[in-house]
Amino acid sequence: MLLSVAGLISASHVMAQESDEKVVEGRMHTIIYKTGGTKVEGYLQNSFSLPGYGFSRSYFIPSAMDTVMIVKPQNKPFERSIKVRNCEIDSMMTWLDKTPEDKQKWEPQTADFAYGGKNPDVENHPSMLLVLFEGKHVKGYLSHHILYGFRYLFKIDDMPYAKVFLSEEHKFNERRRKTLLDTFYMYPKLEDYIKQLKKEDVEEDPFFIIRKLDEILSAQESLK
């Protein structure tokens, strides 16, 4: 009888371990680091698998119009989801259970989703932006907006909000070159790079211009 009970306890322990290690499909395992120093871990409910166009692979990505992140606690189906407002988030890490080594970092930033240097279209709340480039002075992001689609954005240290500069859905052409010149009009040293920019450069690295801008700003800093 004792052996039988021990066997049941052992089997229950193994099942509990297997439950803890269950791979969740179709949701991003998430840790949200809040500005107050606490964190929330679970599975992001308001992120959806969206195919990349041209430059990137598929992404599980929340909409730029979302004002909160909704997280269901890990492997606890009967617990209520937790809502964390974007303005309460310092940063966020996500990954798929099948590839835990491939972690993605997110930051909340207000963002201008309009092209060029005029008529900005800035959201009135922070959007969670996927960090894809971190330079010394410039960061590059990817976001998905329900109206504009995939957008690549950048933010320099002293900018009040992130700014779109390229889109995955739109092919690089002379019209896009003009909007890039309009976007970076404050940085004349970048003008020659934009004028010589080729479609192949953009397809290989959508942050090509951002990298050049970071190099220019770093060189200027070293001369001070």
Side-chain angles (χ1 to χ4, degrees), residues 52-200:
Y53 296 87
F55 303 139
S56 70
R57 53 195 170 87
S58 296
Y59 289 97
F60 281 80
I61 190 167
S63 169
M65 298 184 74
D66 290 346
T67 59
V68 299
M69 295 296 106
I70 304 171
V71 177
K72 183 176 284 291
Q74 183 176 1
N75 295 335
K76 297 179 180 178
F78 299 109
E79 288 204 17
R80 298 179 65 180
S81 297
I82 302 168
K83 295 183 178 181
V84 185
R85 293 186 301 167
N86 292 0
C87 60
E88 299 173 345
I89 298 174
D90 177 71
S91 63
M92 182 171 79
M93 299 294 295
T94 62
W95 64 94
L96 291 172
D97 281 344
K98 285 186 175 181
T99 54
E101 70 284 354
D102 187 16
K103 289 183 170 60
Q104 299 173 335
K105 179 182 177 182
W106 304 76
E107 292 181 350
Q109 299 284 355
T110 50
D112 176 12
F113 286 92
Y115 280 130
K118 300 177 182 179
N119 302 319
D121 185 8
V122 183
E123 294 290 340
N124 59 7
H125 65 270
S127 300
M128 295 307 298
L129 306 182
L130 175 59
V131 182
L132 292 181
F133 170 72
E134 288 191 77
K136 190 174 181 180
H137 298 284
V138 188
K139 286 188 177 181
Y141 304 98
L142 175 67
S143 181
H144 185 272
H145 194 286
I146 192 170
L147 298 178
Y148 300 110
F150 277 102
R151 288 289 190 265
Y152 287 108
L153 305 100
F154 75 100
K155 186 176 184 297
I156 301 171
D157 298 333
D158 58 353
M159 285 173 61
Y161 47 77
K163 168 73 177 167
V164 68
F165 67 99
L166 278 178
S167 165
E168 287 205 336
E169 287 92 337
H170 300 155
K171 294 181 179 180
F172 182 74
N173 52 29
E174 291 309 309
R175 181 180 179 182
R176 195 59 55 231
R177 191 190 308 278
K178 184 180 184 304
T179 59
L180 283 173
L181 289 169
D182 290 340
T183 299
F184 297 103
Y185 72 94
M186 293 179 63
Y187 308 98
K189 289 187 177 181
L190 195 61
E191 186 175 355
D192 287 340
Y193 289 107
I194 296 174
K195 288 181 176 179
Q196 298 172 21
L197 192 63
K198 299 177 182 177
K199 178 183 177 181
E200 292 75 20

Side-chain angles (χ1 to χ4, degrees), residues 207-218:
F207 294 105
F208 177 83
I209 290 296
I210 302 305
R211 294 179 193 279
K212 291 297 181 183
L213 177 58
D214 194 63
E215 291 174 12
I216 290 170
L217 294 176
S218 298

Side-chain angles (χ1 to χ4, degrees), residues 25-47:
E25 299 279 357
R27 294 293 179 195
M28 295 297 288
H29 199 139
T30 302
I31 298 180
I32 293 176
Y33 298 94
K34 300 178 71 174
T35 53
T38 59
K39 66 180 181 181
V40 174
E41 182 171 2
Y43 290 87
L44 196 62
Q45 301 301 293
N46 56 331
S47 67

